[in-house]
Amino acid sequence: MSLEEVPDPAFAQRLVGDGLAIDPVGNELRAPCDGVILSVHRARHACTLRAASGAEILLHVGVDTVALNGTGFTAHVKDGQAVRAGDLLLSFDINVLASRARSLVSMMVVVNGDSFQVGDCATGRSVEIGDRIMTVIGGTLAADSSPAAADAVPADAPTAEGQVQLCIAQGLHARPAAALANAAKAHPGAVAIVCRGRSANAKSVVSLMGLGTVLGDELTVQVSGGNAATVVEQLVGLIRAGLGDPVVQPGSAPAVAAAPAAPAVAVPAPAEEAVGPPFAAGEEVLLKGTIAVPGVAVGPVVRRFRTVQAVNETGAGAAVEEPRLTRALAQVTAQLADAATRMPEQGAIFQAHQALLEDPELVDAALAGVRAGQSAEWAWSRASQAHAEVLSRLADARMAERAADLRDLEQQVLAVLAGRSAGAGLADLPKGSVVVADEILPSDLAGVPAGLLGGICMAHGGPTSHAVILASALGVPTIVALGRQAERIPDGAPVIVDGNRAELRVFPPEDALASTRDVAAQRAARRAENRKSAGELCVMADGTRIEVFANLGRVGDTAEAVQEGAEGCGLLRTEFLFLERQSAPTEEEQYDQYQQIADGLGGRPLIIRTLDVGGDKPLPYMPLPPEENPVLGLRGVRVGLREPELLRTQIRAILRVKPYGVCSIMVPMIASPSEMKIVRTMVDEERAKLGRAEPIALGAMIEVPAAALIADRISILADFLSIGTNDLTQYVLAMDRGNPHVAAHLDALHPGVLRLIRQAVQGAAPLGRTVAVCGGSASDPMAAPLLLGLGVTELSATPAVIADLKAFIRTLRMEDCRAVAEAALGVDSAEEVRALVVRQWPEL
């Protein structure tokens, strides 16, 4: 089976290495190839073998079997022993494992993946000893791939070391070893862990596991190179926190093995979607995807499906290839800097690309390939793809979409190496073209002027990718996740892009094309008119005041939001300060960013959401326990309460923003009043320490169904409520919004979601608490009359839609909104709800 099916995130997300898994029916582990045994774990549940090529293969029997401490296992080899393919390595009592281990699923992974690539995995079928199941490509013994190989650093480089007691019940087994190795790799210098006189390269999972550590061992962390003392402090902190495993104090009772889980069943991967012949002219086809940028467009298709660029594996030698690669990287870096200057509002995207391009692990992996005799093209592609693969398999959709950034950089560097211009993109297309592609990359849009493209449709991609952010800034209606049937759309085919419904109509009737063109032209003219009055307050036709705020994700968003008519910020996502770095931002760093945003808003309200990470959004410097279902695990406020100093630091930074009263604090993923009570106590304590007499408003995000049901109790402790419809919808409908198989069916206008919103509003009413919506529904014009009719008085939307949203709300009467909202609560589906809205307001 594939590693994704392993019930352990460290293996499933390939943090330990790439490879495959086996659900055993026998009781023996035999050598998969000729080699030498590097180590047999003290618990005898795992061993590592080095093949003749230098590939280091970890063989790990079962999940969490380290907790058995060797019970049921027998080792038949020892460290340093040469073995042949088929030799018996370990035997085990399968009945003991079935009753006491979490799972029998066993892993075979290549742990020195910087030098080797896994291919041809025989997944989804039964295999027997002797069957070929995996190919490992690359590497050479001439290149030092040993775990003890240290990074080269100058002889006079600064060094530092620190001591820490290991408080992990089973020592540095695969999962914590992978977490520690990944953290150590962020440091360009040498990092070693010393235990009982033995030293291990901290960047190697195998080397760390080979130490044979146990609970209570004293570890010495040794670091060479710049910022050595800081790196030591970070790694010591990670080890002390358990590296994702529960912290156990030495001398306490031994950990009990987890209760047996249901036997893992290998589910065959779904067959790849069949792609038929091109769609025939004259036959209308409807494709559905996921909304990325709302809007409607009509135009001819321009296909931009990427083809794999053939490159030679063997180069002309390191003396030639290394300078070629270095020059290409420098040229692309300069082009990214130029793009950031030309598009200052989106400069953070290109700066993030520059940071990726300068990532030492990525560059070092490519240079290692060049020095091993590979061409610059081959080495760069292989390193980029390996890193992109790791990101694409992460549980968090937003982090997985960063894999597209790496694929973008891969293509840009390859273009320069081939003598072409990087990022030529889509700027030369005819005006009004609708681009249909497997995936649009940020560099494709870097030089595209506003108004050139009619629409963008992607077979793959996600709604929060950097390319979608750029498309939104350009005002281009965009649909993603259409599936491979999009490949059947021929060049030049007339299409209608409905970004409001995530529908693509191919070869529609001529009358539909003509009417849609008229509608699109009318909307463009109306939008231009709406922007003239965007700065005015939003008041309904009957005089009811509705506040329309903006959702912001970084400092650069502020100017656009104000220009589009935002009356404040209803949701500042602070994750931009915490992601893509190796340590948490300081209080001063946070304060500086918050103050810049407050200044940019010019005294308008600023609601800052505390850090919303954890589970599906991991931070490398904040290890959390592995979770089978991270969407239901340590997220939002739960992380803040687990890491109180991190939360207190953020609270202090927010409290310092001036003028006092402009900022409010909003807490994500609240599920009970007790959580609000703890955070309020923290806020009051930090306010007292700062000597700030003025109170600060503290709000709760309603994203969990339980919170909507007890909104009356939460309102006692919260000054305001804000409904996050994205998470609320996925929890109500039991559909993971990061799962492409169900994401298209998620609709916040489902009557069940609307009923919970009504209950939250009713719960907040007795105490006069404001109820806002800051999720995706606030940016959906169809949702606006329903939300207002249910009692919501504040909407916080994407900046690009605010001018149109305010203009539409000004035409509404509360009496009509309430009537349609009440009717919507009595139907059976989101489709029926939308039909009700359109009947009342046909202009939508």
Side-chain angles (χ1 to χ4, degrees):
M1 61 177 69
S2 64
L3 286 178
E4 289 91 333
E5 298 173 66
V6 176
D8 183 320
F11 285 103
Q13 296 177 13
R14 287 174 165 77
L15 300 180
V16 179
D18 197 5
L20 50 73
I22 296 173
D23 192 6
V25 294
N27 60 358
E28 294 179 341
L29 172 68
R30 293 183 175 268
C33 61
D34 297 351
V36 175
I37 300 299
L38 289 180
S39 66
V40 177
H41 195 277
R42 58 170 182 78
R44 301 188 294 279
H45 70 298
C47 65
T48 308
L49 178 152
R50 179 184 289 161
S53 65
E56 295 172 358
I57 303 167
L58 171 65
L59 305 160
H60 192 291
V61 179
V63 176
D64 286 347
T65 44
V66 65
L68 299 179
N69 288 315
T71 301
F73 287 96
T74 302
H76 299 276
V77 290
K78 58 185 179 180
D79 295 2
Q81 180 176 333
V83 295
R84 302 296 299 270
D87 285 353
L88 180 61
L89 305 180
L90 306 173
S91 58
F92 47 91
D93 187 328
I94 199 166
N95 293 322
V96 170
L97 269 61
S99 64
R100 297 181 59 183
R102 183 176 169 194
S103 171
L104 289 171
V105 171
S106 302
M107 287 62 71
M108 177 185 296
V109 298
V110 177
V111 292
N112 55 343
D114 288 348
S115 304
F116 296 88
Q117 184 176 355
V118 171
D120 300 331
C121 288
T123 56
R125 65 180 175 87
S126 297
V127 294
E128 297 180 355
I129 289 176
D131 288 352
R132 180 182 295 274
I133 59 171
M134 187 170 78
T135 302
V136 182
I137 307 164
T140 171
L141 287 176
D144 186 3
S145 60
S146 68
D151 294 4
V153 294
D156 58 350
T159 62
E161 66 176 45
Q163 281 70 43
V164 59
Q165 188 175 40
L166 188 62
C167 295
I168 301 173
Q170 308 305 330
L172 292 175
H173 60 97
R175 185 167 52 232
L180 180 55
N182 286 332
K185 287 176 183 177
H187 176 61
V191 183
I193 302 294
V194 179
C195 177
R196 288 181 268 114
R198 297 178 62 193
S199 179
N201 177 8
K203 300 182 181 182
S204 165
V205 175
V206 173
S207 190
L208 290 170
M209 291 177 63
L211 284 175
T213 54
V214 296
L215 175 67
D217 273 344
E218 291 291 334
L219 306 183
T220 299
V221 181
Q222 298 176 337
V223 176
S224 300
N227 299 318
T230 301
V231 176
V232 166
E233 183 179 353
Q234 291 171 356
L235 295 180
V236 165
L238 290 173
I239 296 169
R240 186 175 288 121
L243 294 164
D245 267 28
V247 173
V248 179
Q249 294 305 318
S252 61
V256 179
V265 178
V267 181
E272 186 171 349
E273 183 182 0
V275 178
F279 295 131
E283 298 180 13
E284 183 176 9
V285 177
L286 176 66
L287 299 180
K288 290 187 70 67
T290 299
I291 297 172
V293 181
V296 176
V298 176
V301 162
V302 176
R303 290 170 55 90
R304 279 294 187 268
F305 287 90
R306 301 182 186 276
T307 56
V308 178
Q309 181 179 336
V311 296
N312 293 323
E313 179 177 357
T314 305
V320 174
E321 300 296 335
E322 187 168 340
R324 288 184 65 228
L325 179 57
T326 302
R327 286 194 298 269
L329 293 173
Q331 184 173 333
V332 175
T333 299
Q335 290 169 340
L336 290 170
D338 178 63
T341 301
R342 285 188 287 105
M343 302 179 69
E345 291 303 320
Q346 309 304 328
I349 293 176
F350 300 107
Q351 290 165 6
H353 279 205
Q354 285 180 265
L356 280 174
L357 202 61
E358 295 165 358
D359 180 87
E361 187 176 349
L362 175 62
V363 175
D364 288 350
L367 291 175
V370 166
R371 291 161 187 164
Q374 298 169 1
S375 67
E377 291 87 347
W378 182 277
W380 176 251
S381 284
R382 186 171 157 199
S384 300
Q385 290 168 12
H387 282 65
E389 181 72 11
V390 171
L391 286 177
S392 68
R393 296 182 186 279
L394 293 178
D396 176 21
R398 283 175 290 185
M399 290 303 294
E401 286 168 8
R402 298 293 81 83
D405 298 336
L406 275 171
R407 289 191 287 270
D408 191 351
L409 292 171
E410 177 194 0
Q411 296 303 315
Q412 291 186 64
V413 174
L414 288 177
V416 172
L417 288 170
R420 304 191 305 272
S421 173
L426 307 172
D428 59 346
L429 296 184
K431 183 178 176 62
S433 297
V434 174
V435 180
V436 178
D438 42 6
E439 185 175 37
I440 294 296
L441 302 175
S443 61
D444 295 326
L445 297 173
V448 175
L452 176 70
L453 298 180
I456 294 174
C457 300
M458 305 186 212
H460 309 298
T464 61
S465 69
H466 280 155
V468 167
I469 293 172
L470 292 173
S472 179
L474 293 170
V476 181
T478 303
I479 304 172
V480 298
L482 284 163
R484 292 199 59 199
Q485 294 304 308
E487 296 179 28
R488 301 176 63 187
I489 304 173
D491 252 328
V495 295
I496 296 174
V497 180
D498 189 342
N500 303 317
R501 295 175 176 269
E503 293 179 350
L504 177 64
R505 298 173 65 182
V506 186
F507 292 119
E510 186 56 43
D511 58 344
L513 286 168
S515 62
T516 307
R517 285 192 190 98
D518 292 343
V519 170
Q522 293 167 10
R523 285 185 174 175
R526 190 161 61 243
R527 173 167 172 73
E529 191 65 27
N530 291 341
R531 294 188 72 183
K532 294 179 182 178
S533 59
E536 300 173 9
L537 295 180
C538 186
V539 180
M540 296 176 69
D542 57 12
T544 305
R545 173 78 169 99
I546 301 296
E547 293 181 301
V548 180
F549 288 178
N551 295 336
L552 304 180
R554 57 185 180 274
V555 174
D557 293 342
T558 312
E560 178 194 356
V562 171
Q563 183 180 359
E564 292 292 336
E567 300 171 18
C569 170
L571 166 63
L572 174 62
R573 301 182 179 96
T574 58
E575 292 73 51
F576 76 99
L577 279 163
F578 292 80
L579 298 172
E580 298 178 5
R581 55 187 296 158
Q582 296 303 315
S583 61
T586 64
E587 178 184 328
E588 202 63 34
E589 287 178 281
Q590 294 187 58
Y591 162 69
D592 177 67
Q593 295 287 297
Y594 303 151
Q595 188 65 62
Q596 285 188 51
I597 294 171
D599 292 344
L601 288 171
R604 298 171 179 86
L606 170 58
I607 300 175
I608 301 178
R609 183 178 70 185
T610 57
L611 181 62
D612 185 14
V613 295
D616 64 337
K617 291 174 276 186
L619 296 176
Y621 50 84
M622 188 174 66
L624 296 172
E627 299 181 282
E628 287 190 38
N629 194 338
V631 176
L632 301 179
L634 283 169
R635 295 190 58 195
V637 68
R638 300 167 189 171
V639 175
L641 299 182
R642 190 177 192 270
E643 304 286 339
E645 189 49 45
L646 195 73
L647 179 55
R648 285 181 180 274
T649 300
Q650 186 169 31
I651 290 170
R652 287 194 299 272
I654 298 171
L655 287 169
R656 292 171 57 193
V657 175
K658 294 182 179 178
Y660 292 153
V662 74
C663 272
S664 301
I665 298 174
M666 186 160 66
V667 189
M669 293 293 291
I670 288 294
S672 69
S674 62
E675 294 167 333
M676 281 302 296
K677 186 174 183 179
I678 295 172
V679 177
R680 183 169 286 282
T681 299
M682 285 186 180
V683 171
D684 290 342
E685 290 173 352
E686 296 303 328
R687 186 163 61 91
K689 291 177 185 176
L690 290 172
R692 172 175 166 171
E694 298 84 354
I696 187 169
L698 181 65
M701 284 198 72
I702 306 299
E703 304 168 274
V704 179
L709 294 171
I710 59 169
D712 57 333
R713 306 297 302 165
I714 292 174
S715 294
I716 296 172
L717 292 153
D719 299 310
F720 63 92
L721 305 181
S722 188
I723 300 172
T725 52
N726 297 347
D727 271 320
L728 182 62
T729 302
Q730 78 166 343
Y731 291 136
V732 171
L733 300 183
M735 292 181 180
D736 180 0
R737 59 192 174 112
N739 184 331
H741 300 293
V742 298
H745 302 290
L746 278 168
D747 195 326
L749 298 194
H750 188 286
V753 179
L754 296 179
R755 289 189 181 203
L756 280 177
I757 293 174
R758 180 181 64 172
Q759 185 143 355
V761 171
Q762 290 175 339
L767 291 172
R769 304 303 192 210
T770 297
V771 179
V773 169
C774 63
S777 290
S779 301
D780 182 357
M782 280 200 185
L786 295 169
L787 297 174
L788 302 184
L790 291 172
V792 171
T793 59
E794 177 193 310
L795 300 176
S796 190
T798 302
V801 307
I802 288 177
D804 292 339
L805 183 63
K806 292 175 75 172
F808 176 52
I809 291 173
R810 292 187 186 113
T811 69
L812 301 177
R813 293 183 177 276
M814 185 59 76
E815 181 181 1
D816 298 332
C817 293
R818 286 174 178 154
V820 175
E822 189 63 33
L825 298 174
V827 300
D828 297 333
S829 68
E831 290 77 11
E832 293 176 80
V833 170
R834 290 186 180 275
L836 284 172
V837 175
V838 171
R839 279 200 294 271
Q840 179 67 35
W841 294 282
E843 64 269 28
L844 291 174

